[in-house]
Amino acid sequence: MNSDHDVSAQPMPDADRVRIFDTTLRDGEQAPGFSMDRRAKLRMAQALEALGVDVLEAGFPQASPDDFAAVAEIARTLKTTTVCGLARCQTGDIEAAGRALEQAQHARIHLFLSTSPLHRQHKLNMSRAQVLDTAVAAIERARGLCHEVEFSAEDALRTEPEFLVEVFSAAVAAGATTLNAPDTVGYTTPAEVVELFEYLRRHVRGAERVIFSAHCHDDLGMAVANSLAAVSAGARQVECTINGIGERAGNAALEEVVMALKVRAPHFGVDTRIDTRKLFPTSRLLTQLTGQAVPRNKAIVGDNAFAHESGIHQHGMLKHRGTYEIMRPQDVGIAETRLVLGKHSGRAALRQRLQTLGHTPDDAALDELFARFKTLADRKREIHDEDLQALALGHDPDALGPWRIVQLTSATHLGGSASASVRLAHTDGHESSEAAIGDGPVDAVLRAIERAAGHRLQLTDFSVRSVSEGGDAQGHAQLTARHAGRDWRGHGVSTDIVEATALAALDIVNRIERQTPAAQPAVVATS
Ligand code: KIV
Ligand code: ZN
C-alpha cells in the first residue's frame, strides 16, 4: 500500500458548506438525446464555472478520443473550478484521466467500481476481496497522478452496509479524498439514505478526514429528496446535473437541490457557493445546446414555475407575494418583468437583456449581434428571451462553418412533392449549388444541402418546436442523422421552418467536417 501521501494533510472539510459536483457533461451528456460536441461542452463548462460549481465532471477520458479532448480542453480553460475525469479502476482509464487533466489548475480523478452483490456477481464476476483489492490499487495509482481522488462505490445503496464500510475504510487509507455512495438505480427512499449515511459516518475509519458525497438517480422520482436526505445526514457533496439530465430518468437536478438548500436554509443549516441568479440562464443554455426543452412545470426553471394563472392565486399574490411564492423569480435569474424587445429597441437594451441571459458580448460581438437582432426584428414583431438566446448562440463564430447558406429557395407542389435549391459557400472560397425534389419541403431542402455539401445524411429524427410565443414565433428545428456509423444532431432557428430545417442540416454537415476534418465529401446519389 502506498504510504507516501499524507491524508491528514488534507484541509478539514468546512462543515457548513455543501460542494456542488456537476456531472451534466458526463452522466448528463451520456443520456440519449443530450450529446454535445466539444464546443458546446466547453461553452457549458464555462457557464457552470460562472454559476459557481465546486467540481465539474467533464467526461470519461478513456471512453473516446472526443471525450478525452473535451476533458483536456475544459481542464486547460477553467480557472477556479475543480475539473474531474471519470475512470474505471483500470490502469488505462486512470492514466488517460491523469493525462487529460494534466493542465488543470485544480484536478480530480473520479474512480468507480461496483460493490453490490448483484453487480459483483453478474457484472464484475468478482469476490468481495477482489473488489476491495481492485479499488485500493486503483486509488493508490490515481493518487500518484492527482492530489484529489474520489472513489464511488457503484450501486452503493444496494451494497451490504458492513462491506461498504470495509471498502470505504480501505479507500480512505489508500488516499481517497471523497467517498461517493451512489443510488445508481434510483431505488432508495430518503429515510434509508439517512440511515446509510449516518452509519457510514459512524463506522468508516478516517471518515472525519474525507467528504461524503451523494449521487442519486431519479428512477422513482426521489433523486432530489434523496440528495437532501444525504445532506441532512452529513454528506457535504451532492452530485447533480442542470435540468436533472442523466442516465434513464436522470440525476438530481442541480437547480432544485441548490434552491431547496437556500430557501430552507434554517432547516438544513448549510450553504453552497452557487450564484443562484445564474440558474435560469444556465438551464436555458443547456436546452439551447442540446435542443431538449424542460417541461413547463419543471421546478425552478420551467415556464410555469413562477406563473400564477388562477384568479384566487393572482388575488393572493397582489395582496402579498408570500401567499403563493416561496422564492422570487429574480433569485434564480428570471427577470421579474419579461421585457420584450422589438425593432425600436436599442443596443443598450439588447446588451442588458443578453447579460441577464448569461451572455456578455464585447463591443465588436455586440455590434454584430445587434445587426442580426435588427434583421430578426424586421421579420418578427416581438423578440423574446428565447429568441435572444438562439441569436446569441448562433452568433458564436466558433460554432459556424465551414459552410454557410448563401441562397435558399423552396416550393411546395400540389399533390405533396416539393423542390428546393441551395447555394452554399465554403470557408475555403468555393461555392456549391444543388437542387432536389423531396416528399415535402423539409425532405427536399435536406436532400439539396446533402448534395451541395457532399455528405450523405440518413435522417433518423426530426422535430420543430416554437422557441417563443405568437404567430410569428421562431421555429427551432432539430435533426438527427446517421453518417459514417454515428448519430449527428443539428439545430437551426428561424421564423421560417424550412429555413430552420436547412440551418439544422447545415449544422450537421458542419459538425461532421469540423470533427472529422479529413472527411472527404462523398458524391451523393440523386434520389
Ligand atoms: O450512477 C452511478 O453510479 C454513477 C457512478 C459512475 C458514480 O454514475
Ligand atoms: Zn450516475
Side-chain angles (χ1 to χ4, degrees):
M1 195 173 284
N2 185 357
S3 58
D4 60 8
H5 55 264
D6 177 11
V7 280
S8 63
Q10 296 299 317
M12 289 294 285
D14 43 332
D16 299 338
R17 190 163 70 78
V18 172
R19 282 102 187 126
I20 296 299
F21 176 114
D22 178 274
T23 183
T24 305
L25 297 179
R26 199 278 298 169
D27 215 326
E29 202 263 349
Q30 78 192 36
F34 292 96
S35 70
M36 284 173 255
D37 65 17
R38 254 168 61 197
R39 283 179 181 76
K41 285 185 187 173
L42 184 62
R43 182 148 203 151
M44 198 62 212
Q46 288 168 318
L48 289 165
E49 179 165 63
L51 178 67
V53 306
D54 297 279
V55 186
L56 185 151
E57 187 161 54
F60 188 172
Q62 181 74 341
S64 71
D66 260 6
D67 245 43
F68 182 95
V71 176
E73 190 170 19
I74 292 169
R76 268 197 304 279
T77 311
L78 297 197
K79 295 182 177 61
T80 51
T81 306
T82 297
V83 181
C84 173
L86 184 70
R88 289 167 296 186
C89 288
Q90 296 176 7
T91 306
D93 280 37
I94 298 167
E95 285 174 356
R99 279 199 311 280
L101 295 169
E102 247 159 25
Q103 294 188 47
Q105 301 281 337
H106 311 278
R108 175 182 297 187
I109 295 180
H110 178 189
L111 297 168
F112 72 102
L113 183 65
S114 291
T115 50
S116 68
L118 204 67
H119 282 220
R120 289 196 312 263
Q121 186 187 343
H122 298 289
K123 179 177 148 184
L124 300 176
N125 193 20
M126 277 187 184
S127 66
R128 281 185 177 203
Q130 283 171 315
V131 167
L132 202 112
D133 291 348
T134 307
V136 166
I139 294 166
E140 288 175 349
R141 188 178 292 277
R143 272 303 299 253
L145 299 174
C146 190
H147 186 62
E148 279 188 42
V149 173
E150 169 168 339
F151 175 71
S152 282
E154 193 183 355
D155 206 16
L157 273 292
R158 293 192 299 171
T159 300
E160 307 90 329
E162 74 290 350
F163 179 55
L164 200 53
V165 164
E166 209 180 324
V167 175
F168 275 170
S169 299
V172 177
T177 48
T178 299
L179 299 179
N180 184 34
D183 185 13
T184 303
V185 291
Y187 175 75
T188 316
T189 66
E192 289 165 334
V193 171
V194 168
E195 201 181 330
L196 181 72
F197 274 78
E198 284 179 347
Y199 177 83
L200 291 173
R201 289 183 59 232
R202 260 200 322 275
H203 295 286
V204 170
R205 287 185 295 287
E208 66 291 348
R209 298 200 299 270
V210 293
I211 290 181
F212 282 88
S213 168
H215 175 116
C216 302
H217 279 271
D218 208 31
D219 300 67
L220 294 174
M222 293 190 283
V224 171
N226 282 338
S227 304
L228 296 171
V231 168
S232 64
R236 287 296 173 265
Q237 176 177 284
V238 171
E239 306 198 354
C240 42
T241 58
I242 297 292
N243 299 341
I245 69 171
E247 278 285 339
R248 307 180 309 278
N251 289 64
L254 181 151
E255 60 280 4
E256 295 177 24
V257 171
V258 167
M259 287 314 288
L261 294 178
K262 187 177 168 108
V263 172
R264 302 301 310 277
H267 174 80
F268 289 104
V270 292
D271 204 358
T272 70
R273 281 201 183 134
I274 297 296
D275 177 353
T276 62
R277 288 160 312 161
K278 295 204 165 79
L279 286 172
F280 182 74
T282 313
S283 159
R284 288 299 147 120
L285 178 64
L286 182 65
T287 64
Q288 292 283 341
L289 292 173
T290 59
Q292 305 287 353
V294 296
R296 289 190 80 90
N297 63 332
K298 163 87 180 62
I300 316 296
V301 292
D303 281 348
N304 288 0
F306 293 91
H308 302 274
E309 187 68 30
S310 95
I312 295 172
H313 286 207
Q314 287 178 351
H315 180 74
M317 284 288 291
L318 291 173
K319 296 269 186 219
H320 190 291
R321 294 194 77 94
T323 50
Y324 289 103
E325 212 162 73
I326 58 166
M327 55 197 152
R328 297 174 313 162
Q330 55 272 41
D331 293 339
V332 303
I334 300 174
E336 196 162 15
T337 45
R338 302 246 305 170
L339 202 71
V340 177
L341 300 184
K343 68 177 183 188
H344 301 298
S345 306
R347 259 171 125 265
L350 177 66
R351 185 195 286 278
Q352 185 271 330
R353 203 67 211 124
L354 285 168
Q355 275 166 357
T356 320
L357 295 171
H359 300 279
T360 46
D362 59 22
D363 286 348
L366 185 71
D367 284 347
E368 204 180 313
L369 266 174
F370 189 57
R372 299 180 60 214
F373 163 78
K374 285 286 180 190
T375 310
L376 180 62
D378 277 340
R379 294 163 66 178
K380 196 173 180 298
R381 218 165 23 90
E382 294 182 340
I383 311 274
H384 296 262
D385 286 353
E386 293 77 4
D387 299 317
L388 291 179
Q389 283 278 24
L391 205 67
L393 288 172
H395 163 74
D396 186 352
D398 285 346
L400 297 177
W403 291 104
R404 74 187 162 78
I405 298 176
V406 181
Q407 204 180 348
L408 167 71
T409 51
S410 80
T412 308
H413 309 290
L414 206 59
S417 75
S419 58
S421 66
V422 289
R423 181 144 60 92
L424 303 184
H426 196 278
T427 44
D428 69 7
H430 86 277
E431 289 195 348
S432 171
S433 301
E434 282 290 345
I437 294 174
D439 290 339
V442 165
D443 188 40
V445 86
L446 190 72
R447 297 294 147 232
I449 297 230
E450 180 183 57
R451 282 184 204 157
H455 295 290
R456 192 188 297 273
L457 305 176
Q458 186 196 338
L459 188 65
T460 54
D461 195 27
F462 168 62
S463 69
V464 186
R465 68 176 171 84
S466 159
V467 297
S468 54
E469 294 152 27
D472 59 357
Q474 297 206 93
H476 174 198
Q478 181 174 299
L479 297 181
T480 309
R482 205 145 181 85
H483 172 87
R486 271 181 66 179
D487 282 332
W488 301 81
R489 186 179 291 263
H491 310 278
V493 177
S494 168
T495 48
D496 176 327
I497 61 164
V498 176
E499 189 178 316
T501 307
L503 291 169
L506 195 79
D507 191 20
I508 293 183
V509 296
N510 279 335
R511 280 171 203 262
I512 291 172
E513 290 203 18
R514 285 199 306 263
Q515 288 186 31
T516 47
Q520 288 299 316
V523 178
V524 177
T526 312
S527 59

